[in-house]
Amino acid sequence: MKNYMDGGEAILEAFRKLKIDYILSSPGSEWSPVWEALVRQKVGNRQGPAYIDCWHETLAVNMATGYTLMTGRPQAVLVHAGVGLLQGSMGVHGALQSEVPMIVMSGESTTVGEDPDLPIEQQWYGGLSVGGIERFVENITKSARPVTSPFTLYEQVIRAGEMSQRTPRGPIYLNVALEHMLHDWSPPENDREVPSAPRVEASPGEVEKVAELLLKAKNPVVVAEQSGRDPEAFKALVELADLLAIPVMWGRVANYCNFPTDHPLYLGVATYEHLKDADLVLLVGGRAPWYPPHTKPTKGKIVAINDNQFKGHMIYQNLHADAYLEGDIAAALQSLAQAARAGKVDAEAVKKRRDRWQGEHDKFVAGLKAEKSKANGNGKAIDPLALISTLADVMPADTIYVDETILHGPMLRQHLPFTTPQSFFRGFGGLGQGLGTALGVKLAAPERPVALLIGDGGFLYNPVIQALGATKQHNLPILIVIFNNKGYMAMQKGHVHHYPDGAAENAKMHLGSRLNGFDYDTLGTHFGLHGERVEQPDKLKAAIQTGLKKVQDGTTAILNVMVSR
């Protein structure tokens, strides 16, 4: 057996230095040098990233995203040439909007058989991407560049991994020619361990200014939108809120669990009526908190706390901020709590504030209970709120929910119990990514139950067969709950919004809004997975219990729940 030391080994060694756990790939024929290096790693019992085979490029990218959302560590995705990159571009776009660091790579031939010393497979001639593959994704990555030579390959991969983790975080794409990977490679003489990205913090002077505002405020409120992605930020926000009795609500487009929903200072999702009389609003992890954007919800000051305030991938933002704390969110919140303790806290004012907001929290919870009791209906159909309520009753407290609903998204964010860090995720960049994200989350947290909540329309956008194959092949059991209302109801809602008295509404003919889908619950039978169609309210709890038991026993379960709206 010959031990090759070429560009494939250079890439794998760079991944090792970057402490990448997994190479996720919908494989392409240009990657034989990396496959060779991975087999050498295996037979040589060397430490390094594991290989995960995926049957679709979007699935590979989404699994990397889900894994990184849980761990914070970037992963590597290898796809095939230009066509594979185009297939995975939806996931890459989502990773950019989610600010998820990762390395995405593909390649083609540069010599197409004209180098007499390097006979390249003939497949490349006539099928190359004109102008360079990187042009396909320049607008949906943090950076998209070609690897310039076999001599720069190793360091370009290292640089890509380090760059992806710097603010703003995001996917880096590298176009690496097959010839560069087949070229001999020698490890660098001055080898180094790649350090972790440093935590960039707001300056002490800026923290002091905001802490002074907090201590003087009579009615401060927190709106937390994207901060809960970091478990440390979740904990730091709880600490600050408890210290000064500051009520907290999730922002209108919260994609993470930002604050425990059972906390006595929690006010719900986008309950912006409480901001009207606020004299200070801490906007924590804000992205698009106000709508319409020009609407400032308070007469008080707004302080925006974020590591990346202005998103380059967004065409428009209006945070209405009067001041900023820029840097790591957890560090900023921890520093604010420390500065507040060092200052003069009005204990009596804090007590009164705590009593007031405890009462508001109790009213909010009572309102949720009243909504749930109405959702029980006449027992003939399953209201989506009844489904959500039953999930809350049956699923374990440490469940991780991945949401890819549209119509039911606000409802489930308001009603499901999210009490621990990293218990809720919702992706960015378009539908069709929920299955892969949920599998990536499960890969990172195998000990926790993972439930994907998804509409029937969104389900059809996903690479379903490929994802079900992955859950079986890689032992990643999850619970898939389909909110099946037989339609793209968001489509109908939008149509009626703009044409309330139009022809479509008058004729009750809403084009593009109805789905006559197949039996989604039977799809998993090809892989020995559990599936059940649920139509009757009295069967719902048992179905969820059975599905959960199947997942706990190691089998993915699909519940096709027919909801009434």
Side-chain angles (χ1 to χ4, degrees):
M1 181 185 76
K2 182 177 179 179
N3 284 318
Y4 292 87
M5 185 62 72
D6 56 17
E9 187 64 37
I11 292 171
L12 186 57
E13 181 60 19
F15 289 166
R16 293 188 192 107
K17 292 296 185 183
L18 291 166
K19 301 175 180 63
I20 284 172
D21 300 317
Y22 292 101
I23 298 171
L24 300 105
S25 180
S26 178
S29 51
E30 71 267 39
W31 293 114
S32 55
V34 174
W35 307 156
E36 183 73 13
L38 279 168
V39 173
R40 283 198 305 272
Q41 174 182 275
K42 180 72 173 178
V43 299
N45 291 318
R46 289 198 63 185
Q47 294 296 313
Y51 173 73
I52 291 196
D53 194 21
C54 300
W55 298 347
H56 196 282
E57 291 82 358
T58 298
L59 176 64
V61 178
N62 291 155
M63 287 182 66
T65 293
Y67 187 88
T68 299
L69 287 174
M70 284 298 294
T71 66
R73 299 191 298 273
Q75 302 305 301
V77 178
L78 305 184
V79 296
H80 177 49
V83 291
L85 187 61
L86 287 172
Q87 286 277 18
S89 61
M90 172 64 83
V92 175
H93 177 242
L96 178 73
Q97 293 213 347
S98 300
E99 298 183 49
V100 169
M102 71 173 63
I103 302 175
V104 182
M105 299 174 68
S106 69
E108 295 175 334
S109 170
T110 55
T111 61
V112 292
E114 295 287 34
D115 184 347
D117 298 321
L118 186 60
I120 292 290
E121 293 174 279
Q122 62 179 332
Q123 63 167 310
W124 300 105
Y125 181 46
L128 299 183
S129 304
V130 177
I133 312 172
E134 62 277 4
R135 294 181 63 187
F136 292 151
V137 292
E138 284 175 345
N139 290 331
I140 58 171
T141 54
K142 182 175 179 179
S143 172
R145 297 287 184 269
V147 171
T148 56
S149 78
F151 308 104
T152 62
L153 172 58
Y154 174 76
E155 285 296 342
Q156 281 193 261
V157 176
I158 293 286
R159 178 177 181 267
E162 293 195 283
M163 184 189 297
S164 73
Q165 299 175 70
R166 263 59 182 187
T167 304
R169 293 165 293 186
I172 305 288
Y173 171 72
L174 290 178
N175 172 7
V176 53
L178 176 56
E179 285 82 354
H180 297 345
M181 290 190 280
L182 291 169
H183 196 282
D184 291 343
W185 175 72
S186 298
E189 293 182 4
N190 299 316
D191 199 10
R192 68 182 177 102
E193 291 299 317
V194 177
S196 300
R199 187 164 87 160
V200 180
E201 301 184 13
S203 69
E206 296 300 319
V207 171
E208 288 294 335
K209 291 178 184 177
V210 176
E212 186 176 348
L213 291 174
L214 261 180
L215 291 173
K216 290 180 178 179
K218 302 297 184 185
N219 189 25
V221 180
V222 171
V223 176
E225 197 167 41
Q226 308 295 330
S227 55
R229 171 174 169 172
D230 179 3
E232 293 304 313
F234 177 98
K235 297 172 186 176
L237 183 54
V238 171
E239 179 186 0
L240 181 64
D242 277 334
L243 177 66
L244 298 176
I246 308 174
V248 180
M249 67 185 71
W250 291 13
R252 70 175 193 92
V253 288
N255 288 61
Y256 308 103
C257 175
N258 301 304
F259 194 79
T261 58
D262 61 347
H263 193 284
L265 291 170
Y266 177 68
L267 297 179
V269 180
T271 50
Y272 290 162
E273 63 272 16
H274 295 299
L275 302 183
K276 183 179 179 181
D277 298 323
D279 54 356
L280 180 66
V281 174
L282 296 186
L283 175 59
V284 185
R287 181 177 183 267
W290 325 122
Y291 195 83
H294 69 268
T295 305
K296 185 178 181 180
T298 179
K299 294 179 181 179
K301 289 184 177 295
I302 296 177
V303 177
I305 302 174
N306 211 336
D307 59 345
N308 179 29
Q309 305 275 13
F310 299 102
K311 314 298 185 183
H313 58 264
M314 293 180 64
I315 197 169
Y316 184 72
Q317 281 179 284
N318 191 346
L319 302 177
H320 293 286
D322 300 291
Y324 297 97
L325 278 185
E326 294 194 1
D328 183 83
I329 296 175
L333 295 172
Q334 291 161 356
S335 296
L336 281 176
Q338 184 178 3
R341 287 193 185 92
K344 188 176 181 181
V345 177
D346 187 338
E348 183 62 27
V350 168
K351 182 181 184 305
K352 288 181 180 178
R353 200 156 59 217
R354 194 182 309 278
D355 291 342
R356 174 195 171 188
W357 291 116
Q358 170 77 69
E360 292 296 329
H361 171 79
D362 292 343
K363 291 179 188 177
F364 166 71
V365 172
L368 294 183
K369 289 180 179 178
E371 288 181 31
K372 289 178 182 177
S373 65
K374 292 179 183 178
N376 290 331
N378 56 15
K380 295 181 180 179
I382 299 174
D383 189 278
L385 185 49
L387 169 55
I388 292 167
S389 179
T390 308
L391 282 167
D393 291 341
V394 173
M395 297 302 291
D398 64 341
T399 298
I400 303 171
Y401 293 95
V402 178
D403 172 31
E404 198 173 29
T405 62
I406 296 296
L407 187 67
H408 303 115
M411 185 189 300
L412 68 86
R413 282 196 292 272
Q414 198 77 278
H415 284 272
L416 275 175
F418 303 112
T419 60
T420 59
Q422 297 185 309
S423 55
F424 174 74
F425 294 97
R426 180 178 175 84
F428 290 99
L431 295 174
Q433 305 181 69
L435 277 167
T437 302
L439 292 177
V441 167
K442 184 64 177 180
L443 181 65
E447 74 290 348
R448 292 178 66 178
V450 174
L452 171 65
L453 311 182
I454 188 168
D456 52 328
F459 187 73
L460 289 173
Y461 285 121
N462 278 261
V464 175
I465 298 301
Q466 296 90 334
L468 296 180
T471 185
K472 180 73 172 182
Q473 182 179 0
H474 304 299
N475 190 28
L476 299 171
I478 63 172
L479 179 66
I480 302 168
V481 181
I482 301 173
F483 285 60
N484 189 345
N485 57 13
K486 295 186 178 181
Y488 294 112
M489 302 314 294
M491 190 94 64
Q492 179 176 330
K493 184 179 178 182
H495 189 149
V496 175
H497 174 79
H498 292 292
Y499 299 94
D501 52 358
E505 178 63 9
N506 184 61
K508 299 302 178 185
M509 188 183 299
H510 301 100
L511 300 181
S513 67
R514 304 311 302 167
L515 277 177
N516 294 314
F518 44 87
D519 294 328
Y520 306 118
D521 45 288
T522 65
L523 287 174
T525 57
H526 302 285
F527 303 99
L529 309 180
H530 174 74
E532 184 174 353
R533 180 185 176 99
V534 191
E535 299 183 81
Q536 300 300 323
D538 60 347
K539 305 292 185 183
L540 181 59
K541 185 173 183 178
I544 295 175
Q545 289 173 330
T546 300
L548 174 61
K549 182 63 167 60
K550 292 291 184 180
V551 170
Q552 291 171 333
D553 290 342
T555 300
T556 285
I558 303 172
L559 300 183
N560 181 16
V561 183
M562 311 306 294
V563 294
S564 60
R565 57 186 170 113

